[in-house]
Structures are given as structure tokens and as C-alpha cells.
Amino acid sequence: MRADIVVLPGDGIGPEVAAAATDVLAAVGRRYGHSFRFETRLIGGAAIDAEGAPLSDATLEACRAADAVLLGAVGGPKWGTGPVRPEQGLLRLRKDLGLYANLRPVRTHPVTLTASPIKSHLLTGVDLIVVRELTGGVYFGAKTRNEDAASDLCEYSVAEIERTVRRACALARGRRKYVVSVEKANVLETARLWREVATRVARDEFPDVRMEHQLVDSMAMHLIARPREYDVIVTENMFGDILTDEASMLAGSMGLLPSASLGDGKLGVYEPIHGSAPDIAGLGIANPVGAILSAAMLLRHSLGLEDEARCVEKAVAHAIDHGALTADLADSAGPSGRTLGTVAMTAAVLAQLEVDCAAVVLRD
Ligand code: IPM
Ligand code: MG
């Protein structure tokens, strides 16, 4: 197949991990006979510096016209928290492309259990996915500011909740048919609406899916205390942001987790959940796995290439099996403590891809 992919490397370690993910996609294309065309554009601080805005109209339109968007990371101390911020580019991209459902899968790997601060026996076999609402809530509500006060409005419509919960329930059908909906219904009005709508959608449209409700504060605790019990977790924008950073500690490092931001069509934005990590930018030690697994999600969700997606996921898992680990996972590196840089880690995945994809081709 032919596919146009816009690459938005962004800031900090963004360009390093985006390059790794692009290399992997290019290798998949060669291996399976697909023609992927990559167009690199600016977002975030890099776009502020070069174009005066964190996401230009031209870049937004290029993304809209593409089959998929691969993103690195945005932000950094250089741009501060003034009126024009790198993060606004990312928020505009999500909002204007209508990407309301952010899928953040969390799996543990036997080799990296020891990189987590949580006891290993609690982590074995964790396989959950957070569906985070991405274009509503307090992130996008009206904001006010004067000299001695500020406000951020949190607003949700029934339709916004319905479509996100539907996505989560549909996903659960292909998994353990179990969804936990997370909000703060004992305090917030938007959360009471969320709970009502979630209950109705699950009951009327997904009778085969079991739904439970959990307050976000207790969810934060249970996620650490008994992570294996969860399958699909659906929640609003800010709670999802917070819970997925927490959930990354189950996997052992933020650097491991991918995400897919999806709307009603095929177009999606794929990015690791980690930030721009300015402290290690340019050192060549960033973990590319979150970005590479995001590329796998791109193959699956935007291009419909399930075999290819699984092949990338398998290659990553096997590379880690064979001891390929970046510095963020040093605790799992054994007595030698040897870790790989970004390029070497990517090379390990690419080498493994040759082995794993060959197997797929032969089987087919
Ligand atoms: C994320 C990030 C973003 C968010 C920032 C960079 C705006 O933390 O994707 O999780 O809060 O959504
Ligand atoms: Mg975040």
C-alpha cells in the first residue's frame, strides 16, 4: 500500500525518538512492499522558533491530508509558560483533527519488571489500556485570569462522553470485556454526567461488557496495588493524563509507552506518552521504544496493517528479551549494567524485525 505520513519531531528528545520510529516504519515498508512517504514538519518550540507559532496552519492542513501523523514530543524550559507555548501546538492538533480518543496501552515485560519501583509479583502479566478523552474537559474550557485569580472551566457534553465510552467498550469486546470508568462523581458535576452516560452506553449498547465505576483518587491507588486486575480504563482528559504517567511506572519507564489519538476516521496522531526530556536531549540515550510502539499503533489503526503492527511489537519484545535496554531501564540490565543508546536500541529492534518479519512472510 501507499501511505503519506507526516512526521512532527518536535522538541528535546522528540527528533531522536521520531527518527527511530521512522526508521522502523521504513524497514516495515521495505519488508512488506509498502510505499511510505514521510514529510517532516515543525511543531512545538521548534515551530515557535522557526514559524512564530507552535503549529502553523500549513502544517495542520498537511496533517489533515495525510494518512497518519507520527509525533515525537513537545515543550522545554526554553519556551517557558508564557502566552505562546509549545504544548498549544499539540492541543490544537488533537482538537482540530477531532482526535477525541487517546489509547494508551500498558504492558509489562518480564525483563523490565525490576525497573519498576513496584514489587515484581504485582506486575507480572499486566496488560491494560487507558482510553483517555482527549479534546474536552478542563484542557479546553474557557480560561480567565486577572491579577489575583484565575479559572479553567471543565465542561463535557453528553456526545463527547458517549463517543469516548463507546470506543472503550468496543475495544473491551476484543479483550476481557471489562471496562472501569473513572471520574470524581462525589465532587464534580461533569463527573456525575460522565457516570450516567457511561452507565447508559454500556447497558444499552454493550450488554456483553461489564462496566464498573471508580473514583479517580482510589483508582490511582488500585492501579498500583492490583494492576493486573484492570483491562480497559476509560476516563476524561486530565485524569487520563495523570493516571497514564502513573501507569508508566508499572511498565518500568515512561520511555516504553506508546499512544494513539483517534477520531471517527482513519487519521490518527501517534506519539510516545513521554515528554521532551530536555535534560537528556541530544545525548543519544533516549528510549525509542515508546515511539517505535507508537509506529506499530499507526500501522494498526490508521493503515489497517495488523500483521505489520504485530511484527513491530514482537520485534521490540524480542529485542528486550535479548537484553537490549536503554539507560532508563538500567535497573534491569543485570550485573554488567550495560545499556544501549537510542541508535543502538533501534538497531536491535531493526535486526529483530528481520527475524520476526521473515517468519511472518514465510508463514503467509
Ligand atoms: C501528554 C502530555 C500533554 C498532555 C502535554 C504535553 C500537553 O502530557 O500527552 O500526556 O497533557 O496531554
Ligand atoms: Mg501527560
Side-chain angles (χ1 to χ4, degrees):
M1 80 176 302
R2 300 175 67 83
D4 288 331
I5 298 168
V6 171
V7 182
L8 303 175
D11 309 316
I13 60 169
E16 297 164 61
V17 300
T22 310
D23 284 352
V24 169
L25 284 175
V28 168
R30 282 194 299 275
R31 199 99 196 133
Y32 285 84
H34 302 304
S35 157
F36 298 148
R37 204 173 60 89
F38 300 100
E39 181 188 354
T40 301
R41 287 183 166 264
L42 300 175
I43 191 169
I48 294 175
D49 290 349
E51 299 169 346
L55 179 71
S56 71
D57 292 346
T59 297
L60 180 64
E61 289 321 310
C63 293
R64 205 191 295 281
D67 294 295
V69 179
L70 182 72
L71 195 143
V74 297
K78 177 179 173 196
W79 299 280
T81 52
V84 181
R85 301 179 303 280
E87 292 77 9
Q88 291 164 324
L90 183 56
L91 298 185
R92 179 178 184 209
L93 184 69
R94 293 168 175 174
K95 184 78 173 178
D96 286 13
L97 297 182
L99 307 176
Y100 59 84
N102 182 222
L103 275 44
R104 298 189 162 188
V106 182
R107 281 192 199 97
T108 53
H109 189 287
V111 171
T112 55
L113 293 182
T114 48
S116 171
I118 299 160
K119 293 189 178 86
S120 293
H121 75 272
L122 298 173
L123 297 172
T124 307
V126 166
D127 178 4
L128 59 87
I129 183 161
V130 178
V131 179
R132 168 189 175 195
E133 200 289 327
L134 203 61
T135 54
V138 74
Y139 270 59
F140 291 94
K143 296 171 193 318
T144 69
R145 177 72 183 264
N146 62 33
E147 264 172 25
D148 44 33
S151 73
D152 298 276
L153 181 68
C154 183
E155 215 170 359
Y156 267 110
S157 70
V158 169
E160 285 176 316
I161 302 168
E162 278 175 349
R163 63 188 187 178
T164 306
V165 171
R166 256 183 215 125
R167 176 74 65 139
C169 289
L171 206 59
R173 274 196 169 143
R175 301 173 52 104
R176 282 154 51 195
K177 299 188 171 55
Y178 172 45
V179 177
V180 177
S181 173
V182 177
E183 23 65 4
K184 184 78 181 171
N186 53 348
V187 176
L188 302 174
E189 201 56 49
T190 42
R192 280 189 282 278
L193 180 67
W194 184 285
R195 188 177 287 210
E196 267 172 49
V197 172
T199 304
R200 174 172 53 72
V201 168
R203 186 195 59 216
D204 295 352
E205 300 175 35
F206 300 88
D208 52 324
V209 171
R210 178 164 61 101
M211 175 173 283
E212 284 172 9
H213 305 275
Q214 190 74 247
L215 298 174
V216 65
D217 48 348
S218 82
M219 184 71 219
M221 174 187 64
H222 288 305
L223 196 55
I224 297 297
R226 46 192 186 94
R228 240 195 319 259
E229 291 181 22
Y230 295 98
D231 188 37
V232 176
I233 296 169
V234 63
T235 191
E236 64 93 54
N237 202 345
M238 184 144 88
F239 294 160
D241 180 45
I242 298 167
L243 288 176
T244 50
D245 268 29
E246 187 192 8
S248 75
M249 286 296 101
L250 302 170
S253 166
M254 285 273 281
L256 291 169
L257 294 206
S259 86
S261 302
L262 308 172
D264 287 326
K266 286 249 170 249
L267 179 61
V269 171
Y270 301 85
E271 53 173 320
I273 80 151
H274 63 70
S276 61
D279 52 325
I280 59 161
L283 300 182
I285 60 168
N287 187 345
V289 166
I292 292 171
L293 291 176
S294 300
M297 295 186 88
L298 181 157
L299 292 166
R300 172 174 296 123
H301 294 284
S302 280
L303 308 187
L305 300 174
E306 180 63 29
D307 276 358
E308 287 84 337
R310 284 196 190 176
C311 175
V312 171
E313 287 163 352
K314 216 189 293 177
V316 168
H318 288 169
I320 294 174
D321 279 342
H322 296 145
L325 295 169
T326 40
D328 50 321
L329 298 165
D331 285 350
S332 299
S336 77
R338 187 170 162 270
T339 58
L340 304 178
T342 311
V343 170
M345 182 70 203
T346 308
V349 173
L350 289 170
Q352 199 58 50
L353 207 63
E354 297 293 315
V355 178
D356 290 321
C357 287
V360 172
V361 170
L362 283 179
R363 195 198 63 213
D364 286 347

